[in-house]
Amino acid sequence: MKKKYKDFHRTIMIKMSLCLLVLLAGVFVSCSDEELSDQSIFPTTPETKPDAFEQWLLENFTYPYNVEVLYRLKDTEIDHAYTLTPADSAKCAKLAIIVKYLWFDAYAEIAGSNFVKMNVPRVLQFIGSLAIENNGTTIMGTAEGGYKITLYNVNSLGGSVPLNDYDALNAWYFTTMHHEFMHILNQKKPYDTSFNLISEGMYVGQDYYLYDTQTMALPKGFIRNYAMVEPNEDYAELYAQYMTNDDATWAAKMYYAGDEGKSIIEQKLQHIRRYMSDSWNIDLEEMRSCVLRRASEYAKLDFEHLN
C-alpha cells in the first residue's frame, strides 16, 4: 500500500510540473509578442488643463500665497446645516479680483507679502446663495479655525449687490473679509482680555438681531448689533467696520452712538490699535488709510478681463 501511494503521488507531481512548464511557456511566448511601451503607467500631467480663471487663481492666490480658491460647490467642504447653491463662475471671478485688491494686496502693501502668506486662510470658498439660520438671520461669512473663510451670496454680485455700490459690497463682502481675518489673527495671537471687561454684562448672545444698531447697539458702545453677541465678535466687528467705513460713514455712526457710546467705542479701538502694533507691527491708521484708498479706487478695476 505504501509503495502504490508513493507511485501515485510521484505521478501527480510529475503531471503538475508539466502543466506548470506549459503555462510558463505560454506566458513567455505571449510577452515576447508584445512591444514595450515608452509611456509611464503613472500620469505626469493633470487630467484637465485649467481654464483662464483657474490659471488666474493659481497665479494670484495659490502660487504667491498658498491659498486655494473653491468656487465649485464641493460636498465635503460646505456646511450641510444650510441649503446652498453653487456660485456663478463669472461672478466669482469679479469677487476674486475685489478680494485680491482690497484684502491681499492691501495687507501686502502695508505689512508685506510674507505677512499675507503666513496669516491668510489656506482656503477661500465662494458660495452662490445665502446661508440662513433657523431664526431667519443671515450668515454673511464664516471662518474655520484659521484654515478657511467662506463668503456667501456671491450670485447677487452685479444684481441686488451692484458692482459699483461700495456700501452694498461693504455690507456683504468687505467687512466680512476683515472681520473673519481678525478672528484668524486673534487665534494666532490672542488679544488682551481686558477688552472683554469694557462691555461686560451687556452681551446678549444669539438674541443680537432683536437689537437695532442705531438706536440700541451704538448708544451702548457696540458698532453694530452683531457685535453684541460676545467679546470676540465685538472685537472683530469693530475692527472690520473701522477698516472699511470712510470718515463720513464713521462720523454718522458716532453721531448715533452719542457721547457715551462713542467713548466706549474709542476705548475698544485703543485696544485694537495696541494689539495690531504690538502683535503684528501694523499701524492701524496706516492700514485703514490703505484699505480706504483702495476702496475709493476699486471701481476702476477691469472686471471683464483677468489681467
Side-chain angles (χ1 to χ4, degrees):
M1 287 294 293
K2 290 181 180 180
K3 186 177 184 304
K4 286 183 179 181
Y5 176 78
K6 288 179 179 179
D7 290 342
F8 176 75
H9 181 69
R10 188 180 298 111
T11 300
I12 293 297
M13 292 297 293
I14 291 171
K15 288 182 178 180
M16 290 178 65
S17 298
L18 288 172
C19 288
L20 182 60
L21 287 171
V22 170
L23 179 61
L24 289 173
V27 170
F28 288 137
V29 170
S30 175
C31 290
S32 65
D33 290 340
E34 296 180 5
E35 294 183 3
L36 293 176
S37 171
D38 61 355
Q39 299 296 316
S40 171
I41 62 172
F42 302 104
T44 57
T45 57
E47 294 182 6
T48 57
K49 186 178 180 180
D51 60 24
F53 179 39
E54 290 167 342
Q55 186 62 40
W56 185 89
L57 290 175
L58 288 172
E59 293 174 358
N60 289 275
F61 288 93
T62 307
Y63 297 156
Y65 300 119
N66 193 28
V67 172
E68 180 183 15
V69 179
L70 300 177
Y71 66 95
R72 292 189 174 96
L73 205 63
K74 293 183 68 174
D75 187 65
T76 56
E77 293 287 346
I78 63 174
D79 188 338
H80 292 275
Y82 309 113
T83 301
L84 304 173
T85 58
D88 178 270
S89 60
K91 296 184 178 185
C92 286
K94 291 178 174 60
L95 183 56
I97 292 171
I98 294 172
V99 168
K100 177 180 181 296
Y101 188 74
L102 286 175
W103 180 9
F104 281 52
D105 290 352
Y107 281 95
E109 179 182 330
I110 300 302
S113 59
N114 193 55
F115 169 85
V116 179
K117 184 175 183 178
M118 295 298 293
N119 295 296
V120 293
R122 299 280 68 88
V123 176
L124 289 178
Q125 181 172 232
F126 296 158
I127 301 295
S129 57
L130 296 167
I132 302 176
E133 297 279 20
N134 291 332
N135 61 12
T137 59
T138 300
I139 304 299
M140 294 182 173
T142 57
E144 299 177 29
Y147 167 74
K148 178 171 70 174
I149 284 181
T150 299
L151 297 177
Y152 297 93
N153 200 35
V154 176
N155 287 347
S156 293
L157 185 63
S160 60
V161 183
L163 197 60
N164 62 351
D165 186 341
Y166 176 75
D167 289 338
L169 291 172
N170 198 30
W172 277 105
Y173 312 119
F174 302 164
T175 54
T176 299
M177 291 185 294
H178 292 284
H179 178 111
E180 301 301 346
F181 189 44
M182 177 53 75
H183 279 318
I184 291 175
L185 296 180
N186 289 163
Q187 288 163 7
K188 293 190 172 188
K189 295 182 180 181
Y191 62 80
D192 181 356
T193 54
S194 63
F195 173 93
N196 303 350
L197 303 177
I198 298 174
S199 292
E200 187 178 21
M202 300 176 70
Y203 294 100
V204 298
Q206 294 306 312
D207 288 334
Y208 73 91
Y209 66 96
L210 299 174
Y211 294 77
D212 179 71
T213 291
Q214 287 188 1
T215 62
M216 303 174 78
L218 281 165
K220 293 179 181 296
F222 297 100
I223 198 61
R224 194 167 74 88
N225 60 354
Y226 185 68
M228 301 178 76
V229 172
E230 49 93 18
N232 288 328
E233 298 302 335
D234 189 8
Y235 201 100
E237 188 61 20
L238 177 56
Y239 173 78
Q241 293 288 333
Y242 188 64
M243 291 291 287
T244 57
N245 291 170
D246 61 24
D247 290 341
T249 303
W250 188 259
K253 291 180 185 294
M254 294 304 100
Y255 170 80
Y256 287 107
D259 291 341
E260 184 177 352
K262 181 179 178 181
S263 175
I264 294 172
I265 288 172
E266 185 55 37
Q267 277 184 263
K268 293 176 180 178
L269 273 176
Q270 279 298 101
H271 271 261
I272 296 175
R273 289 189 182 97
R274 286 196 299 269
Y275 171 76
M276 292 299 287
S277 177
D278 296 346
S279 296
W280 300 104
N281 196 30
I282 293 175
D283 184 301
L284 184 68
E285 302 307 320
E286 183 182 13
M287 189 72 247
R288 178 174 183 257
S289 295
C290 175
V291 170
L292 293 179
R293 170 175 53 78
R294 288 174 173 270
S296 68
E297 299 169 347
Y298 88 93
K300 300 176 184 177
L301 297 174
D302 183 357
F303 293 106
E304 301 304 322
H305 304 90
L306 295 168
N307 301 316

